[in-house]
Amino acid sequence: MNEQRFDAIIIGAGPAGYSAAINARKREKSVLVIGQNGGWLAKAERIDNYPGMPAVSGREMLRVFRQQAEEAGAQIIN
C-alpha cells in the first residue's frame, strides 16, 4: 500500500482553508486541502468588499484562491 503523509491536512476549501494552505506551503510544509466547493461563498453572485477583487463572483474568487494554493504546491481533493 502506497501511503502518503502530509504535514497539514486542512478541512475546508473556503477562504480560510486556502489561506492556511498557502501559508503552510510558504513554510515548506506538505499540505492536503479537503473540501467541497466553498459553501456559501460559491453561491454569492457578487462580492464588492474584498481588496484587489472588486465586483467578483464567489465562484471566481474561490477559483483564484484554489489556483494560488495549487501553484504554491498544495494538494486539493473534493
Side-chain angles (χ1 to χ4, degrees), residues 24-78:
R25 287 298 303 141
K26 285 184 178 186
R27 289 160 180 76
E28 299 183 9
K29 303 296 182 189
S30 58
V31 178
L32 174 65
V33 178
I34 301 172
Q36 295 287 14
N37 20 346
W40 66 268
L41 185 58
K43 298 174 187 171
E45 292 181 26
R46 180 176 161 153
I47 299 166
D48 290 316
N49 63 343
Y50 196 85
M53 300 176 104
V56 65
S57 73
R59 287 199 182 279
E60 177 62 13
M61 183 178 281
L62 287 168
R63 185 196 66 75
V64 171
F65 291 168
R66 180 181 179 126
Q67 180 179 351
Q68 186 175 355
E70 288 175 331
E71 288 174 357
Q75 292 187 34
I76 302 168
I77 61 173
N78 293 329

